[in-house]
Amino acid sequence: MKSAKFTVSALAVIAASASAASARDQIQVSGSSTVLPYATIVAEAFGENTDFPTPVVESGGSSAGLKKFCEGVGENTTDIANASRAIKDSEIEACKANGVTDIMEVRIGYDGIVFASDIAGNDFQFTPADWFNALAAEVVVDGKVVANPHTKWSEIRADLPEQEILAFVPGTKHGTREVFEEKVIAAGCEESGAAEVFKAEKGEDEAESACMALRTDGKSIDIDGDYTETLARIQSAKNGIGIFGLSFYENNTDKLKVATIAGVQPSTESIASGEYPVSRPLFFYVKKQHIGTIPGLKEFTEFFVSDELAGAEGPLAAYGLVADPELAATQAAVADEKTMAAAQ
């Protein structure tokens, strides 16, 4: 795995004092496994370059992190939730119900979802329709909706390898799973023409959920852990294909081979240009009610999105983050402690 190298002089070190009285002096962060390495890099730099303790950063998935974040306000609750997707309306309502009414949404940059297999394995050029026809619980065969009968990729499309279908998919608590379902499986349902058949046979209400339901016969396997578990599964099952964040793949190119989607190779450049079709913004959410109570919380937030850390030449970009072209606007919003109107 690449290590981001930078010096103290390269950072905009925040002059900070940890003198605020509190029963807890370490910032608590949880959530997305995709955002985890970025948050860890920033937390370590923050501890080394300010007078504040190094924040505690945990993983567990976007949904799990936001659930924890929304449990309430106070020193026994999480300060920051990392997420590889935007917070849902239902999560905002859960926050409100528990008194979490001042939420700062901070976008740190962009990442892509990639499909990677063993370095010595076959080459793949996928479309969203391929993934729908391979992993959906039901597909359309001869104009009729049937339980997915496909066992090999070559049955999906003749020019795909004659390899058994086996996919390691992030579990439902991960933000990556939701983006995969929406931007790949649902998109593939539409692209393949199956959506119209589903609507005709099942009705409008059931068609959408039918499009995104994955098969449960062992061809699609949920991974509840992080990307390292997915990598381990591929190393044990060489015909498996895993779903990863781009940065994890880029830091494991000695073990993994990446596929194209719709003819586009995933890279920081193709994501930044918008050419790669399966990209997403990455976020973290800050409990503003903890600013002034938990020492260093605002300073850490500003530190995270500084040019020196999150900019195009910073260590996060070196690790694989696609820098946000609107980073300056994010910095201004953080400085003003701007909160989400929907959470009020």
Side-chain angles (χ1 to χ4, degrees), residues 4 13 40 133 148 157 165 167 208 218 233 250 260 281 311 326:
V13 178
T40 300
N133 283 316
N148 197 328
R157 209 176 70 232
I165 295 170
E208 184 177 353
R233 293 292 193 101
E250 288 190 331
T260 61
E326 298 178 359

Side-chain angles (χ1 to χ4, degrees), residues 19 21 45 85 106 112 118 160 180 192 195 213 215 223 249 251 322-323 330:
S19 61
R85 50 136 175 108
V106 182
D118 184 76
L160 288 173
F180 170 67
S192 68
R215 61 200 298 183
I223 302 297
Y249 159 70
N251 285 278
V322 177
T330 297

Side-chain angles (χ1 to χ4, degrees), residues 5-316:
K5 298 183 183 297
F6 51 94
T7 63
V8 172
S9 61
L11 300 172
V13 178
I14 298 170
S17 170
S19 61
S22 175
R24 170 161 66 83
D25 63 358
Q26 276 185 299
I27 297 164
Q28 302 286 339
V29 185
S30 63
S32 166
S33 56
T34 301
V35 180
L36 175 67
Y38 304 126
T40 300
I41 289 169
V42 176
E44 290 175 354
F46 186 72
E48 291 169 1
N49 294 285
T50 73
D51 293 332
F52 296 108
T54 301
V56 176
V57 183
E58 298 175 344
S59 186
S62 300
S63 296
L66 284 162
K67 181 179 180 181
K68 201 171 179 181
F69 178 83
C70 290
E71 286 177 351
V73 176
E75 293 167 358
N76 62 336
T77 64
T78 303
D79 307 306
I80 292 175
N82 294 328
S84 59
R85 50 136 175 108
I87 190 171
K88 299 176 182 177
D89 290 344
S90 60
E91 289 164 334
I92 291 174
E93 291 304 315
C95 272
K96 282 185 187 178
N98 292 322
V100 183
T101 56
D102 295 326
I103 302 172
M104 296 165 59
E105 181 180 71
V106 182
R107 189 174 65 204
I108 65 168
Y110 291 83
D111 184 34
I113 294 176
V114 306
F115 305 88
S117 51
D118 184 76
I119 186 69
N122 290 311
D123 293 329
F124 283 89
Q125 295 83 38
F126 289 122
T127 67
D130 295 334
W131 276 98
F132 168 76
N133 283 316
L135 295 195
E138 294 180 306
V139 294
V140 175
V141 177
D142 296 328
K144 299 292 184 182
V145 176
V146 299
N148 197 328
H150 302 132
T151 60
K152 294 183 178 180
W153 285 104
S154 55
E155 295 170 11
I156 304 301
R157 209 176 70 232
D159 58 345
L160 288 173
E162 190 174 348
Q163 177 174 312
E164 291 289 327
I165 295 170
L166 177 62
F168 299 114
V169 180
T172 54
K173 67 182 181 179
H174 292 283
T176 301
R177 169 61 169 266
E178 296 178 35
V179 177
F180 170 67
E181 287 177 342
E182 292 172 8
K183 292 202 168 188
V184 180
I185 298 299
C189 187
E190 291 283 351
E191 183 182 276
S192 68
E196 290 304 314
V197 182
F198 281 6
K199 289 173 187 176
E201 286 200 19
K202 297 174 178 289
E204 292 276 351
D205 293 341
E206 289 187 32
E208 184 177 353
S209 58
C211 269
M212 291 194 288
L214 300 187
R215 61 200 298 183
T216 58
D217 58 357
K219 297 298 184 183
S220 176
I221 297 176
D222 281 10
I223 302 297
D224 289 328
D226 60 18
Y227 295 136
T228 57
E229 182 181 344
T230 305
L231 176 59
R233 293 292 193 101
I234 289 173
Q235 291 176 322
S236 297
K238 299 294 186 179
N239 64 319
I241 298 175
I243 297 168
F244 300 93
L246 173 69
S247 62
F248 186 90
Y249 159 70
E250 288 190 331
N251 285 278
N252 289 278
T253 53
D254 58 329
K255 304 179 186 73
L256 293 169
K257 175 184 292 188
V258 75
T260 61
I261 288 287
V264 181
Q265 184 83 8
S267 67
T268 54
E269 292 77 17
S270 63
I271 291 170
S273 69
E275 184 184 9
Y276 187 68
V278 198
S279 61
R280 55 359 187 350
L282 303 179
F283 303 92
F284 65 89
Y285 292 88
V286 181
K287 199 172 290 178
K288 182 182 174 181
Q289 288 143 293
H290 283 192
I291 291 178
T293 300
I294 304 302
L297 182 56
K298 181 173 181 181
E299 289 84 353
F300 175 73
T301 305
E302 291 181 316
F303 191 75
F304 202 130
V305 296
S306 65
D307 290 337
E308 289 77 12
L309 271 293
E313 303 301 321
L316 304 189

